[in-house]
Amino acid sequence: MLMLRSLKLSTLNYRVYNMFYHDLLMNFFQEIGEEKGIVFQKNLPAIEPVYGELKNPLHWRLEEILKKGNLTHFYNHQVDAINAIREGKHIVISTRTASGKSLCYNLPVIESIMNNTSNKALYIFPSKALAQNQSGRLEKYNYAFYYGDFNYGIYDGDTPREIRRKLRKYASIIITTPDMLHLGILPNHEKWKHFFQNLKFIVIDELHTYRGIFGTNMAHVLRRFRRICHHYGSNPQFICCSATIANPVELAKKLTMLDFDLIGESGAPSGEKTFLFWEPAQEEGPGRSINTEASLLLYHLISSNVRTIVFTRTRVQSEIIMKTTQDLLSGSHSSLVDRITSYRAGYVPEFRRRIERKLISGEILGVVSTSALEVGVDVGSLDACVIVGFPGSIMSVWQEAGRVGRRTGSSIVVIISSNSPHDQYYLHNGNDFFNSTYETCIIDTDNPYIADGHLRCASYELPLSEKDEYYFGSSLLPFIRAYSEKNYLFYKDHKFHWNIDNYYPAENFHLRSSSDENYEIVNNSPPCNTLGYIYKRNVSFYFHPHAIYIHQGETFRVLEMDERKKKIYVVADEVGYYTKPQIITEVSPIKENSSEEIHTGKLRIKETCTSYRQIELLTGMYLKTIPLNLEGSVMETTGFWFTLSDSIQKTLRNAGLEISGGLHGTGHIISLIIPVFTLCDTGDIGTAINPFHPATGKPTVFIYDKYPGGIGYALKGAGLFPIIVSQAFDLVMRCKCENGCFKCIYSSASPYPENYLNKTATLFILEGLKKNLKMTVK
């Protein structure tokens, strides 16, 4: 079997290697008998570096440190960034992965501290792993200081109390996460008085991760942060770093309420990359599942000594693929079984750090990860990336692909398409993917539920006054009125003070979820340890008795959920399947903004779990359905809905077609196409379909944000509705199936059987919508 790893021998000239790379790559897939899976291929050539010169040289001690690391030239974007930071500008650096963005801010920040050791900086990273990674990069700059004036450290939930005290008192640079800023620093700002008074820089790395519910929360955290800075007389300079997105300046401004200069032209080199868009083998019966396909590819790559990262969309998926690959390796390659692992959120911190160290050292040859490794964390030198299902955004594909072949090394990226319409769109429109512009990050600072939570936190931190309307906008005065009436605020010295003893608002308000509940998953089997944590709305739908939880490839059966202690107890059980809830949704419009074809407004959503399905781990095949009757929470959100006109209904009746089967197919395909045009996951969008809804008196499809108060995804979809309908029609028409399938109108989230849907009726409805929207059928 071809050993791809051996191609990187130093005796092989790099340019000659690139000339033969494509042929050798194809030989590899031919040898493993999988070349038929390649539907689309794109080879991206290597990019040469572009260098620049600083207006003024760095401090000579910094130059010495860089020379020791063989860094003697700066890329042009690094030069532009350093010059702008020195001039005091707020900047956002938006360049591709592995382009050296951390150097852009580390050098001018440290240079400023060298010139004035009282200066302070706050570095914010979206995860603890990224914070750990940055801390290691700062160590070399100790040598720029003669008298130990440079102190830095990580301040997060894992930092011991004694070290926290030292950091507050002595640190020049504090490295933290949004969660710790929200939960630990801002509510205790009196302890940080000296730090806030001397704060000169705030660095926000991985800016593009602050979208949706997390981004909206982050915007409010930064408003609270700037309010406290103003209280202590400081006005720090913001430095933001982002992957390439459509609106980096707009996003930075929404988050901080400040104006930014853009550094967007990268001068960094990159190695040659080969992208393969892959379709699972279509064998007799249902064919291979996407998880089986990923496991087989990972098996072949690992057994050929190719260091590989696999990105999955869900935690369950990462565990299934790792377990299946280990089973495949356990035969003739049993020595490699322990050299692959899974990595995801929910693992305890010590376990994640251990995996990261083994990745860097090369002890781990393959890792199966959720998006937790999509950004920033040092994963060492990797050669192949397998993406299991399109991640939901072009940006995420580039982030995940950027984890391999960094700087000069050549690499392969295999994107395995699922049967979802979203994936099928890109599988058969590969050039559209590479010609598309990057998506827009969406946040909604007007979400009333999120604003209320942060106003509670802000009033605890500092008394509120009318001047705070600058930070909190139109939400401030209604909040003050409502909370004063409840006696939660009292008025004194022209300000409103927090009036609830022994209540810490930030403690029960999480930034990454619409739920305030954090559940601990406890293993009742020896060694009786904590397996992880989970934030999830309607958690009982997923952790009911006999539900199956997967951890590191092992299956655990849920025993019970203790609501009071917020603990979920599980026990090891090798069942060979996992479970998936089937959810029925009821929707009621609250407030409507009408138009001729679509309606936008506020919606009330009620969800009920009527049953759960058992799905075989290895094949992804449906096994059976078990009845349940669990009621979830009721929420209000924003979205849009459309009805079938009398003319469309008449056309269906004349053709002898059932409206319901076509309506469900239409709702499914439209909701699954929306993520192609908005920066969200399919799980962010909810769908409810009713052949006769009492509020409209007609067959109706509701599309909404699956977050209380809404986040803006569905409303953006409403604005693009004509384009989405057109693309949905083309995709269903192009699908080769006869009666509908998961590649066009079926949805795995639907509680209805597949034969309930009707492809012909769906096409009639989509064509009717196009005509009503005055679109031309191509």
Side-chain angles (χ1 to χ4, degrees):
M1 183 174 288
L2 179 66
M3 303 294 284
L4 287 186
R5 190 67 147 161
S6 66
L7 296 177
K8 296 197 173 184
L9 294 172
S10 58
T11 56
L12 197 62
N13 180 274
Y14 179 69
R15 292 188 181 276
V16 174
Y17 164 68
N18 280 340
M19 287 172 60
F20 289 101
Y21 184 74
H22 169 257
D23 291 337
L24 292 167
L25 179 68
M26 295 310 296
N27 287 341
F28 170 75
F29 288 109
Q30 288 170 2
E31 287 191 25
I32 66 174
E34 298 290 348
E35 75 278 6
K36 291 182 180 178
I38 302 170
V39 175
F40 176 84
Q41 179 174 331
K42 182 79 170 181
N43 299 301
L44 302 182
I47 298 174
E48 298 294 325
V50 179
Y51 297 106
E53 292 289 335
L54 293 173
K55 290 181 179 178
N56 296 301
L58 289 170
H59 192 286
W60 67 269
R61 291 204 298 270
L62 284 176
E63 288 188 339
E64 288 295 317
I65 291 169
L66 296 175
K67 284 178 183 177
K68 288 181 180 179
N70 295 319
L71 204 165
T72 56
H73 298 89
F74 295 118
Y75 304 131
N76 63 347
H77 70 277
Q78 293 173 327
V79 167
D80 292 342
I82 293 170
N83 286 337
I85 293 169
R86 283 172 161 179
E87 294 168 6
K89 297 177 179 177
H90 303 297
I91 66 165
V92 55
I93 308 158
S94 181
T95 56
R96 60 180 175 268
T97 303
S99 57
K101 289 190 281 286
S102 62
L103 206 67
C104 294
Y105 55 79
N106 276 334
L107 291 177
V109 167
I110 291 169
E111 185 180 57
S112 172
I113 296 169
M114 291 175 69
N115 294 331
N116 183 351
T117 55
S118 295
N119 287 350
K120 309 289 185 182
L122 181 69
Y123 286 11
I124 302 176
F125 295 89
S127 71
K128 292 179 181 179
L130 290 171
Q132 291 279 348
N133 195 47
Q134 182 59 224
S135 179
R137 292 178 179 178
L138 287 176
E139 184 177 357
K140 64 184 176 185
Y141 296 109
N142 276 318
Y143 302 106
F145 296 81
Y146 286 138
Y147 305 107
D149 293 323
F150 182 54
N151 293 286
Y152 63 91
I154 297 171
Y155 195 96
D156 62 23
D158 300 331
T159 307
R161 292 191 177 278
E162 181 57 35
I163 295 178
R164 291 186 188 190
R165 285 193 289 269
K166 291 180 179 179
L167 289 173
R168 286 196 298 265
K169 188 173 182 180
Y170 300 113
S172 300
I173 298 177
I174 292 287
I175 305 167
T176 192
T177 62
D179 313 84
M180 195 60 183
L181 181 62
H182 157 70
L183 187 63
I185 296 176
L186 297 183
N188 300 292
H189 59 85
E190 295 93 344
K191 297 179 181 179
W192 293 82
K193 180 178 179 180
H194 178 68
F195 184 84
F196 276 108
Q197 286 175 333
N198 293 279
L199 185 58
K200 302 299 179 186
F201 302 98
I202 175 167
V203 173
I204 304 176
D205 208 347
E206 308 295 347
L207 184 79
H208 56 277
T209 61
Y210 300 112
R211 60 185 191 267
I213 205 81
F214 187 31
T216 300
N217 274 312
M218 183 60 167
H220 286 282
V221 168
L222 291 174
R223 281 154 173 74
R224 289 160 49 200
F225 168 80
R226 289 190 61 216
R227 178 172 174 254
I228 289 173
C229 286
H230 181 263
H231 175 72
Y232 288 108
S234 63
N235 186 25
Q237 180 181 355
F238 279 74
I239 305 163
C240 301
C241 296
S242 173
T244 308
I245 55 176
N247 63 330
V249 172
E250 178 192 359
L251 179 61
K253 184 172 183 176
K254 279 187 175 181
L255 288 168
T256 65
M257 303 172 66
L258 297 168
D259 292 323
F260 284 79
D261 284 359
L262 175 65
I263 310 293
E265 294 294 327
S266 175
S270 66
E272 180 189 41
K273 265 190 174 56
T274 298
F275 282 80
L276 305 177
F277 286 17
W278 192 281
E279 185 170 35
Q282 302 300 303
E283 301 169 344
E284 290 186 12
R288 289 186 200 160
S289 74
I290 188 172
N291 295 338
T292 301
E293 197 80 4
S295 301
L296 287 167
L297 276 175
L298 179 58
Y299 161 77
H300 287 304
L301 290 164
I302 293 295
S303 58
S304 296
N305 203 35
V306 180
R307 296 197 65 208
T308 305
I309 185 168
V310 178
F311 282 105
T312 67
R313 308 280 65 83
T314 67
R315 298 179 180 190
V316 170
Q317 198 175 35
S318 68
E319 301 289 357
I320 292 171
I321 292 170
M322 188 202 73
K323 174 62 175 172
T324 307
T325 307
Q326 286 181 329
D327 290 344
L328 291 169
L329 290 168
S330 62
S332 58
H333 298 90
S334 57
S335 62
L336 298 176
V337 169
D338 293 332
R339 296 192 67 188
I340 66 171
T341 187
S342 56
Y343 182 104
R344 58 175 174 79
Y347 285 168
V348 293
E350 303 79 31
F351 189 56
R352 291 201 303 270
R353 299 294 93 77
R354 187 160 67 247
I355 293 172
E356 291 159 16
R357 289 193 295 270
K358 289 182 178 181
L359 272 171
I360 294 170
S361 68
E363 186 177 344
I364 288 177
L365 195 58
V367 60
V368 187
S369 175
T370 60
S371 59
L373 279 180
E374 186 178 296
V375 295
V377 181
D378 191 350
V379 294
S381 177
L382 301 176
D383 306 309
C385 173
V386 178
I387 300 175
V388 188
F390 281 89
S393 72
I394 294 169
M395 179 203 70
S396 289
V397 172
W398 287 109
Q399 282 292 107
E400 293 178 0
R403 307 305 278 152
V404 298
R406 298 156 78 85
R407 297 291 172 87
T408 56
S410 295
S411 58
I412 58 171
V413 180
V414 182
I415 306 173
I416 307 176
S417 169
S418 76
N419 282 335
S420 79
H422 175 270
D423 285 24
Q424 290 297 308
Y425 175 84
Y426 280 131
L427 179 68
H428 298 288
N429 294 274
N431 284 319
D432 283 2
F433 174 86
F434 289 97
N435 294 332
S436 293
T437 56
Y438 288 90
E439 303 96 338
T440 299
C441 288
I442 296 174
I443 62 174
D444 179 15
T445 54
D446 293 328
N447 183 301
Y449 298 93
I450 295 176
D452 181 84
H454 286 284
L455 279 164
R456 278 184 274 132
C457 296
S459 56
Y460 176 92
E461 292 155 4
L462 289 171
L464 295 170
S465 71
E466 291 184 1
K467 293 181 180 178
D468 292 321
E469 199 166 10
Y470 167 76
Y471 299 106
F472 304 117
S474 59
S475 300
L476 178 67
L477 296 182
F479 173 85
I480 289 175
R481 282 195 297 269
Y483 277 69
S484 296
E485 288 174 4
K486 296 176 183 178
N487 203 31
Y488 295 164
L489 295 174
F490 71 90
Y491 187 70
K492 181 183 177 182
D493 298 330
H494 306 291
K495 292 184 178 180
F496 293 88
H497 300 253
W498 188 244
N499 194 33
I500 306 177
D501 293 331
N502 302 318
Y503 177 65
Y504 189 61
E507 189 173 27
N508 295 312
F509 188 74
H510 301 292
L511 302 184
R512 300 171 190 263
S513 169
S514 56
S515 170
D516 290 342
E517 297 178 330
N518 179 20
Y519 287 82
E520 180 183 2
I521 303 170
V522 180
N523 180 13
N524 261 26
S525 315
C528 299
N529 56 327
T530 296
L531 298 179
Y533 301 88
I534 189 162
Y535 298 103
K536 190 179 284 290
R537 184 171 167 266
N538 293 335
V539 67
S540 63
F541 290 2
Y542 302 86
F543 289 91
H544 53 80
H546 304 296
I548 299 300
Y549 171 72
I550 307 177
H551 177 83
Q552 278 288 291
E554 295 183 52
T555 52
F556 293 82
R557 178 167 45 84
V558 175
L559 297 175
E560 65 172 323
M561 182 171 64
D562 190 321
E563 291 279 4
R564 186 177 61 84
K565 294 181 178 179
K566 296 292 182 285
K567 290 180 184 288
I568 298 167
Y569 296 98
V570 300
V571 63
D573 192 354
E574 295 186 20
V575 293
Y577 64 84
Y578 65 96
T579 54
K580 189 171 186 178
Q582 300 301 295
I583 300 168
I584 296 291
T585 304
E586 298 176 34
V587 179
S588 303
I590 302 171
K591 183 180 179 181
E592 178 182 350
N593 301 314
S594 296
S595 69
E596 289 186 7
E597 296 300 332
I598 62 171
H599 311 266
T600 61
K602 293 183 179 180
L603 300 167
R604 181 175 288 109
I605 312 295
K606 180 183 177 182
E607 293 181 332
T608 304
C609 182
T610 57
S611 62
Y612 66 94
R613 292 179 180 177
Q614 292 179 351
I615 311 293
E616 191 173 38
L617 275 171
L618 183 61
T619 64
M621 290 182 62
Y622 161 79
L623 297 177
K624 65 177 179 178
T625 298
I626 295 92
L628 277 176
N629 187 19
L630 301 173
E631 284 201 8
S633 59
V634 176
M635 76 167 182
E636 293 183 6
T637 185
T638 57
F640 73 92
W641 59 100
F642 61 91
T643 60
L644 298 193
S645 64
D646 293 339
S647 62
I648 294 177
Q649 294 182 59
K650 182 178 179 180
T651 301
L652 290 169
R653 285 194 295 269
N654 290 341
L657 296 170
E658 287 285 339
I659 289 176
S660 184
L663 192 70
H664 278 80
T666 301
H668 292 164
I669 183 64
I670 286 178
S671 65
L672 291 168
I673 284 286
I674 284 176
V676 174
F677 298 94
T678 61
L679 192 51
C680 72
D681 297 323
T682 53
D684 295 327
I685 297 292
T687 311
I689 301 154
N690 196 317
F692 179 85
H693 197 280
T696 64
K698 292 182 178 181
T700 308
V701 174
F702 294 90
I703 309 287
Y704 58 90
D705 293 343
K706 294 178 76 171
Y707 299 102
I711 216 67
Y713 294 136
L715 294 180
K716 184 173 181 181
L720 297 169
F721 191 64
I723 299 172
I724 290 169
V725 169
S726 179
Q727 293 292 346
F729 178 83
D730 291 346
L731 193 149
V732 178
M733 278 290 290
R734 187 171 57 242
C735 189
K736 297 177 182 179
C737 71
E738 184 176 349
N739 298 315
C741 65
F742 282 105
K743 293 182 180 180
C744 56
I745 64 173
Y746 291 176
S747 169
S748 60
S750 173
Y752 298 101
E754 283 77 22
N755 58 12
Y756 183 77
L757 277 65
N758 188 297
K759 181 178 181 180
T760 304
T762 300
L763 285 168
F764 268 101
I765 291 171
L766 289 170
E767 186 174 28
L769 289 171
K770 287 179 66 175
K771 289 179 179 177
N772 291 347
L773 291 165
K774 299 180 181 179
M775 298 176 64
T776 303
V777 179
K778 294 181 180 180

